[in-house]
Amino acid sequence: MDRVRRLQDGIGTPSKRLVISYILDWIIVLLTVVVALALSRVTPNNRPFSLNDPNISFPFVHKEKVPPTALVAIVVFMPGIIVCIVCLLFVPGPTVDRHATRALIWRRKLWELNTGLLGLALALAVTYLLTDGMKNLFGKPRPDLLSRCDPDVSRVREFAVGGLGGRLGSFETQLGGGVLLVSSKICRKTEKLKDGFRSFPSGHASSSFAGLTYLTLFLCSKFAIAIPFLAPRPFGRTRSLTSAAFSRQTTHSQLHPHGHRKGHQRLVSDDAHSSGSFDGDHGHPPIRNQAAAPPVYLLIIAFIPIGAAIYIASTRWSDFRHHGFDILSGSLLGFCSAWFAFRWYHLPIREGAGWAWGARSRDRAFCIGVGVSGYVGDEGWSSSNSKHDHHVPHREDPEMGHRDMEMEHVDRPGSDEPGAGAGAWNDVPQPYVGSGGTRVVASPLPVINQPGQRYEATA
């Protein structure tokens, strides 16, 4: 009951040092956006070009299919709103303990919201910075450069900077038979010229794949949308007993206690094991019942953001704004940034049960020295003068405030080792195989076990 009371009261107040460290994270991300915005206003390198190059001779399209304002709405605000909706409505999910208070639940909601938005902001900020920096460095002409430029063809020789065209005779011969490279000074229009040398990589492609790929990963994590997989087994454990067409013989009395006398046996299909019966392989269900494919409609929901990103990238080709290599490079850049930002703050999709990583520890909020293994320590995240600091050694759940007791006192799900009995904590998300092949993850909120019972939550 003491643990239940502690759960209901909530544990600890976040350390100011830790809060400041996460505020600093937000400030750095926003400053990255400011730097990228400044880079977008810098004049890029102007790569010399040929007036008879067909790759830069496309017309200038005045009305883009996806203008910059629409792009910002689709890749920034739409994913942000969806992240907010998912975190506020679906977190912490059905595994929440009945003793958890509203304050404790809202702490988890807000922590998942913070990590979800911070990851999205990091993906977009990194992509924005790299894209605009590379645009300025490479200065590659767009497909519609000549339409933007309106070159003065009477001054070709004056602005020639390379090529053999000048050695081949007349101007017509130069354009028809030889390659003559000229500088951007030949252009008579300058209002759209600076942007004409910002083709590589595609900003629409990189930003759309950054924001919308992150959204896809976020949705897959929260709703367990992943290809079914088999959890690894200890070394030497064979799958032969769980991979047969039918399971081993199971006593009829186990399935029908009131049927025949003890010891009467029959072959039982592995479909029966999906109802809760195991074969003899150390309590493991048949191999085909250890995972299952999610509903197809969830796959469709997860694919919609990727489909939108593909469409946005394709418009840069049809609007003659980018070459194919620029679009592919921008898409790859955005995808990698999204994956990096997602994994920076979230557990793996297949094994993390939809949760973000917890917060850093109080004394490791800003940096750690050489020889320290990571940013989580035994001191937890709460203020050093917290009223619960006098309890036994613990490790706190950073965003929820509850604590894991020492491992030797914990009765873990699926373990045959004795634990603390009634009141043991089960708050570490640790997948294991439950009855009927159900993949089970310990509750993300504190779970109070009753004597002789185990709490199981379907992942």
Side-chain angles (χ1 to χ4, degrees):
M1 293 305 296
D2 178 67
R3 292 189 179 94
V4 174
R5 190 180 306 110
R6 183 168 59 184
L7 172 60
Q8 293 173 339
D9 294 340
I11 297 178
T13 301
S15 167
K16 292 182 180 180
R17 176 186 176 90
L18 182 63
V19 172
I20 293 174
S21 73
Y22 278 98
I23 293 176
L24 181 61
D25 286 352
W26 275 105
I27 293 175
I28 292 176
V29 170
L30 295 178
L31 287 178
T32 302
V33 175
V34 172
V35 172
L37 181 61
L39 288 177
S40 67
R41 302 179 182 276
V42 174
T43 301
N45 291 323
N46 293 351
R47 185 179 179 85
F49 54 93
S50 174
L51 297 180
N52 60 343
D53 185 356
N55 293 317
I56 60 174
S57 302
F58 292 91
F60 178 80
V61 177
H62 292 274
K63 188 176 181 180
E64 301 175 90
K65 295 182 179 66
V66 182
T69 52
L71 178 69
V72 172
I74 295 173
V75 307
V76 179
F77 291 106
M78 186 186 74
I81 292 174
I82 293 177
V83 168
C84 292
I85 293 175
V86 171
C87 291
L88 295 179
L89 294 184
F90 296 97
V91 173
T95 59
V96 62
D97 187 82
R98 62 187 179 88
H99 297 291
T101 62
R102 292 180 61 88
L104 206 57
I105 292 175
W106 273 98
R107 177 175 290 183
R108 170 58 64 89
K109 288 179 181 288
L110 295 178
W111 175 251
E112 293 288 329
L113 179 61
N114 173 69
T115 54
L117 294 179
L118 189 54
L120 175 63
L122 180 62
L124 293 171
V126 170
T127 301
Y128 191 16
L129 179 65
L130 293 178
T131 300
D132 279 277
M134 294 171 66
K135 283 177 178 289
N136 292 336
L137 290 174
F138 293 104
K140 184 179 180 180
R142 291 184 184 271
D144 58 2
L145 177 65
L146 294 183
S147 297
R148 297 168 180 263
C149 172
D150 187 21
D152 186 353
V153 294
S154 64
R155 305 175 66 185
V156 172
R157 292 185 179 276
E158 179 181 351
F159 297 110
V161 295
L164 299 177
R167 303 179 185 179
L168 300 179
S170 64
F171 172 68
E172 291 78 8
T173 304
Q174 297 167 21
L175 293 181
V179 175
L180 185 67
L181 299 178
V182 297
S183 69
S184 59
K185 295 180 180 179
I186 198 174
C187 299
R188 291 181 291 192
K189 295 180 180 179
T190 58
E191 63 272 12
K192 300 176 182 177
L193 185 61
K194 183 173 73 173
D195 192 56
F197 290 91
R198 299 173 62 85
S199 184
F200 177 83
S202 170
H204 275 61
S206 63
S207 58
S208 62
F209 269 89
L212 297 177
T213 299
Y214 180 89
L215 178 59
T216 291
L217 295 174
F218 181 85
L219 293 176
C220 289
S221 173
K222 289 295 183 273
F223 298 107
I225 308 173
I227 298 175
F229 71 101
L230 293 174
R233 291 194 175 191
F235 179 76
R237 180 75 60 83
T238 177
R239 296 186 186 274
S240 59
L241 293 176
T242 59
S243 58
F246 297 98
S247 62
R248 298 180 61 184
Q249 286 185 334
T250 305
T251 59
H252 186 66
S253 59
Q254 289 176 335
L255 297 178
H256 303 284
H258 302 291
H260 301 278
R261 68 181 183 272
K262 182 178 180 180
H264 182 74
Q265 298 182 341
R266 69 170 185 172
L267 284 175
V268 181
S269 169
D270 56 4
D271 290 337
H273 291 270
S274 64
S275 303
S277 299
F278 292 92
D279 61 14
D281 187 18
H282 302 282
H284 286 274
I287 191 171
R288 63 186 297 272
N289 289 335
Q290 294 182 21
V296 175
Y297 78 89
L298 291 177
L299 186 62
I300 296 175
I301 293 175
F303 181 76
I304 289 176
I306 295 296
I310 294 175
Y311 170 75
I312 293 174
S314 71
T315 63
R316 309 311 286 170
W317 174 269
S318 59
D319 286 344
F320 311 125
R321 287 295 196 267
H322 291 282
H323 306 279
F325 183 74
D326 309 332
I327 297 173
L328 292 177
S329 301
S331 301
L332 180 61
L333 174 60
F335 180 87
C336 293
S337 298
W339 181 87
F340 163 77
F342 176 82
R343 288 293 288 112
W344 193 257
Y345 288 107
H346 294 81
L347 278 74
I349 293 177
R350 297 199 309 177
E351 302 173 3
W355 303 115
W357 292 110
R360 300 182 287 267
S361 296
R362 179 184 66 243
D363 296 340
R364 308 183 188 188
F366 290 99
C367 63
I368 58 176
V370 177
V372 181
S373 59
Y375 285 87
V376 176
D378 293 336
E379 72 275 12
W381 62 269
S382 62
S383 176
S384 59
N385 58 359
S386 174
K387 63 181 180 179
H388 294 289
D389 280 348
H390 63 277
H391 286 291
V392 296
H394 65 279
R395 187 186 69 179
E396 296 179 357
D397 183 331
E399 68 275 15
M400 291 308 299
H402 60 272
R403 309 180 178 191
D404 282 335
M405 308 307 291
E406 293 186 52
M407 293 299 293
E408 59 267 23
H409 298 299
V410 178
D411 186 12
R412 293 296 177 194
S415 174
D416 295 329
E417 299 179 359
W425 289 77
N426 274 342
D427 56 335
V428 175
Q430 185 175 9
Y432 66 100
V433 177
S435 59
T438 304
R439 184 168 177 266
V440 178
V441 177
S443 173
L445 296 182
V447 177
I448 307 302
N449 289 336
Q450 301 301 324
Q453 296 181 348
R454 293 186 186 275
Y455 181 90
E456 296 184 356
T458 302

